[in-house]
Amino acid sequence: MPDLAVTCTCNAFSATLRGLTPKRVINRLVCYCRDCQAFAHHLHRQSDALDGRGGTRLFQTQPHRVEIARGREQLATLRLSNRGPLRWFATCCNTPLCNTLPTRLIAFVSLIERPGQFTHDEQATLGPVRGAVFHKEAKDGPDPALPTPNPYLLLGPTLGHALGAFVTGRYKRNAFFTSDGRPIAEPIHLTAEERSMLHERVRAA
């Protein structure tokens, strides 16, 4: 299977997904959650991450498949809350890129699909969109064509792949973390007030 390239909009950052097949895409979803929308608003790149209903299209795979080709120094990461994931973006053009947990021990990465980013064949490599989550936070209601999957059916494969990566030691091969397990960029933490202001922007949009 050909490798899949992930770039920022100005191409200063590029990463390669190695050996990706539909079976190696753990989940492919649309997320309508307020924090995903707030992330796009914080970067002022709503058109790069959100559809007309406020949904972010994500596909989840194993971090050891991600190799940074160029622009590592452009990576930054944001946390909207102390319990939230690390939300990675390229500082060169503020392109939202992906989400990870704040630890590499539970190994997965959710990459953000920008509209028109992938060709038809590359879309086939990612497999079908399995559904949408956080329906209640969609603008004007969720896409009726997307089902609401059982959260346990989504969590099971994620944890299964993470357990396999931990047992084999593959979790250590993670381009977003240093060899001693720290994020390669110091996370930017928003205050509760800043997060609340972003949520207001989302509601007003």
Side-chain angles (χ1 to χ4, degrees):
M1 211 69 183
D3 297 332
L4 194 67
V6 175
T7 67
C8 66
T9 54
C10 75
N11 288 315
F13 171 86
S14 177
T16 302
L17 299 180
R18 302 289 186 189
L20 201 63
T21 68
K23 289 185 178 180
R24 291 170 178 167
V25 175
I26 303 169
N27 288 308
R28 191 182 183 203
L29 301 163
V30 174
C31 180
Y32 293 113
C33 85
R34 193 171 300 156
D35 277 352
C36 278
Q37 296 183 60
F39 180 45
H41 278 264
H42 176 78
L43 299 176
H44 300 284
R45 299 308 296 260
Q46 295 93 308
S47 63
D48 285 326
L50 306 179
D51 62 24
R53 300 173 186 267
T56 299
R57 185 170 289 200
L58 303 163
F59 66 95
Q60 189 183 78
T61 190
Q62 304 99 331
H64 73 271
R65 300 196 180 282
V66 181
E67 295 180 10
I68 297 175
R70 65 175 179 272
R72 177 187 169 110
E73 71 281 359
Q74 303 292 349
L75 280 177
T77 187
L78 178 76
R79 292 195 80 182
L80 293 173
S81 71
N82 290 333
R83 295 184 178 181
L86 297 179
R87 298 176 182 273
W88 296 87
F89 64 99
T91 57
C92 44
C93 53
N94 272 11
T95 301
L97 296 170
C98 63
N99 306 321
T100 68
L101 290 181
T103 172
R104 65 177 183 173
L105 294 177
I106 303 176
F108 73 86
V109 56
S110 292
L111 292 115
I112 296 170
E113 292 183 55
R114 301 196 311 276
Q117 181 180 8
F118 299 122
T119 66
H120 176 77
D121 289 343
E122 289 170 336
Q123 291 280 350
T125 297
L126 298 177
V129 176
R130 296 183 59 188
V133 292
F134 295 98
H135 275 205
K136 292 182 179 180
E137 296 176 25
K139 296 182 181 298
D140 302 319
D143 184 344
L146 295 176
T148 304
N150 185 316
Y152 294 104
L153 295 180
L154 300 178
L155 188 59
T158 300
L159 293 179
H161 281 276
L163 179 61
F166 185 80
V167 170
T168 61
R170 284 199 310 267
Y171 75 93
K172 297 177 183 178
R173 292 164 50 196
N174 191 320
F176 301 98
F177 290 84
T178 63
S179 58
D180 59 357
R182 293 178 294 119
I184 62 172
E186 185 66 27
I188 301 165
H189 291 262
L190 295 190
T191 65
E193 182 179 7
E194 289 171 327
R195 182 176 182 234
S196 179
M197 290 175 63
L198 279 175
H199 286 171
E200 287 296 327
R201 283 172 54 185
V202 168
R203 281 190 285 267

